[in-house]
Amino acid sequence: DVKVTQSSRYLVKRTGEKVFLECVQDMDHENMFWYRQDPGLGLRLIYFSYDVKMKEKGDIPEGYSVSREKKERFSLILESASTNQTSMYLCAILGLTGTEAFFGQGTRLTVV
Amino acid sequence: LAKTTQPISMDSYEGQEVNITCSHNNIATNDYITWYQQFPSQGPRFIIQGYKTKVTNEVASLFIPADRKSSTLSLPRVSLSDTAVYYCLVGVPTGRRALTFGSGTRLQVQP
């Protein structure tokens, strides 16, 4: 059974804090994605990684950075959390065949 | 990048067959069509993928006409647990744009 594990299901952080969201996979997939999902706005791509230390900006990278030091782990970093970053964050993985993506359970982040 | 158009919402009753059509007039030669299902507070889940004609698995069928400008996801005999948002994705299934989600179709199944 494929596992995409996000470090937290719910998280509450204060404005200005540095926040780390972790995503770990056990499928040895090359492609990993970070999305945020907000009501009425759907899933929006923040960052994408296609290999260790390789990353590409998505559609809304401002205020975020990522780290992929090992193939199985893709971290999303909020450098200085703001209230407009309150959202559901979803991590996804996709193999080279591109047939089926697997998503984590999501992290609901609230910034107060 | 092929844009997709789906109905915003659909209603059905338990036991009925549900067909959700997705329009993608600008689909490119290398593009695949993939459908995902999402329940509230969960990540999307893969349902089915196809390139042309018909694809069937244990969950659904995907019908793609010869011109590939549209596709139809068919869910046989839906149950209450099929209430979810269904997304149609069109594109090359690799790279940064592999998982570009539109607004989806909210399916509500009534008893």
Side-chain angles (χ1 to χ4, degrees), chain A residues 29-97:
Chain A
H29 281 347
E30 289 73 16
N31 300 311
M32 298 187 75
F33 305 74
W34 272 109
Y35 293 87
R36 63 177 284 178
Q37 186 170 29
D38 302 286
L41 295 176
L43 281 88
R44 292 181 291 167
L45 180 65
I46 306 172
Y47 264 99
F48 162 68
S49 170
Y50 53 93
D51 205 345
V52 174
K53 297 190 187 294
M54 308 305 285
K55 62 186 179 184
E56 287 185 16
K57 291 181 180 179
D59 300 317
I60 51 163
E62 296 78 20
Y64 304 93
S65 63
V66 290
S67 171
R68 191 161 178 203
E69 297 297 317
K70 293 184 178 181
K71 191 174 185 180
E72 67 270 18
R73 187 182 296 269
F74 190 33
S75 302
L76 180 69
I77 304 158
L78 285 66
E79 299 292 342
S80 177
S82 64
T83 54
N84 63 12
Q85 291 178 310
T86 291
S87 185
M88 168 70 92
Y89 289 88
L90 290 159
C91 171
I93 66 172
L94 184 66
L96 281 182
T97 62

Side-chain angles (χ1 to χ4, degrees), chain B residues 72-100:
Chain B
T72 300
L73 175 73
S74 182
L75 304 171
R77 297 179 299 281
V78 294
S79 64
L80 296 176
S81 62
D82 292 314
T83 293
V85 178
Y86 292 82
Y87 296 95
C88 164
L89 280 64
V90 173
V92 177
T94 58
R96 188 169 73 94
R97 290 295 179 193
L99 301 174
T100 300

